[in-house]
Amino acid sequence: MSVPPRAVQLNEANAFLKEHPEVLYVDLLIADMNGVVRGKRIERTSLHKVYEKGINLPASLFALDINGSTVESTGLGLDIGDADRICYPIPDTLCNEPWQKRPTAQLLMTMHELEGQPFFADPREVLANVVRKFDDMGLTICAAFELEFYLIDQENVNGRPQPPRSPVSGKRPHSTQVYLIDDLDEYVDCLQDILEGAKEQGIPADAIVKESAPAQFEVNLHHVADPIKACDYAVLLKRLIKNIAYDHEMDTTFMAKPYPGQAGNGLHVHISILDKDGKNIFASEDPEQNAALRHAIGGVLETLPAQMAFLCPNVNSYRRFGAQFYVPNSPCWGLDNRTVAIRVPTGSSDAVRIEHRVAGADANPYLLMASVLAGVHHGLTNKIEPGAPVEGNSYEQNEQSLPNNLRDALRELDDSEVMAKYIDPKYIDIFVACKESELEEFEHSISDLEYNWYLHTV
């Protein structure tokens, strides 16, 4: 007789607590619409109750703006009495937090209705609904993220970030120096602690690369045959990086564009698809002749304008775009070409995949993945052709045509009939309401530049 799932999870808790008698607390984590991790901290003695009965959190957790305030126009706040839903543990996510002085563990949660079914506004469930469409076709998604971030000083200059002094040389970096090994050495203790912490938490981070701006780095995650798990890893990696940096008296930012004139932070996602026999349906000696690959790319490119609000969800997100920073601004694709929106790496016929290069590091990984997979499924099922691949510099061949601001991106999403087939229109309404609320506040603010230009001149 099979063991009931709840009993299996209790076994997981028992084994962890037995192996880690030093653990005093457990952080219960859930990622909101912005990918910000929220939740509760409990004592270890309460962990069994969490596995048996879950914990209550308000549904309004998924109607929070970037400042953590409930957006009432979503209908998830006062309209429903700010009512609770129930959150249950996600299996295989219980692990230690290596940065804590008091031994503490963490556990990812997901929200459900009180009757048990998944809560529609949990971004993890938004993604799960799209993934089920591939399950129905007997297909498995393999996915991996590349996450860029800046190390920054804990002291700002007039409210603006600056690179941290190197613990080795004491100098602040100012030059680009992409892929420079010496820059890895300047922050080696922090970066190695990130990799070691990821290993301890079971996050498959296999490399750190120096990126193309002062104290900017990229962590590569290894692919996994579960797109939801890939997003879990990305969410947990961001939390790990932030806290390890604090241990080294530095701060971090995943803001899409923290410095004018420097590269922004991207979140690239690699996707391949396995058939029921475990074979990559994109594999090909000549990718242009692979119909499944072409159709998947065609669907992503056709839906890319409607995806933009999920890929670039903040006002600052659109400052990241520009040819000199390898951020594509038109729906195009190419073979081993880093100037396009959809790059197809061509190193090995077995490893042919889609690399989606548009999203910023400020995107919620679950919503990013859901929108990209919606495009892939749309292309596969409708056999959409993507046109010819771009050779050379796409910026010189294609005019900028993707939405270049949040308001236009939200309109594209709100009007998209295709996206509404994959993502619950009720959820799209909630997302749009939250982001329009942020836009309204932003547009009513007055910037320093406006005072510099107009206060004494007009």
Side-chain angles (χ1 to χ4, degrees), residues 361-386:
D362 56 339
N364 180 315
Y366 302 106
L367 300 180
L368 158 59
M369 185 74 76
S371 57
V372 174
L373 291 182
V376 169
H377 188 274
H378 174 64
L380 289 174
T381 53
N382 292 281
K383 295 181 168 52
I384 297 172
E385 292 291 342

Side-chain angles (χ1 to χ4, degrees), residues 148 150 175-179 209-218 261-264 324-326:
E148 294 175 343
Y150 278 91
S175 58
T176 299
Q177 304 295 358
V178 65
Y179 297 119
V209 176
K210 171 64 179 67
E211 268 298 334
S212 55
Q216 186 191 32
F217 301 92
E218 175 186 273
Q262 296 287 359
Q324 70 272 36
F325 300 122
Y326 290 90

Side-chain angles (χ1 to χ4, degrees), residues 288 323 326 328 330 332-343 357 388-398:
E288 284 189 72
Y326 290 90
S330 65
C332 56
W333 75 288
L335 303 176
D336 203 19
N337 186 337
R338 287 185 167 84
T339 71
V340 296
I342 305 298
R343 171 178 174 254
R357 298 177 54 81
V390 173
E391 296 182 12
N393 188 345
S394 72
Y395 304 104
E396 295 179 349
Q397 302 174 49
N398 297 291

Side-chain angles (χ1 to χ4, degrees), residues 116-137:
Q117 66 268 34
F119 184 56
F120 82 100
D122 185 335
R124 205 173 187 272
E125 177 60 17
V126 173
L127 171 56
N129 282 331
V130 180
V131 172
R132 281 191 272 271
K133 294 182 182 294
F134 290 89
D135 294 340
D136 293 342
M137 297 172 68

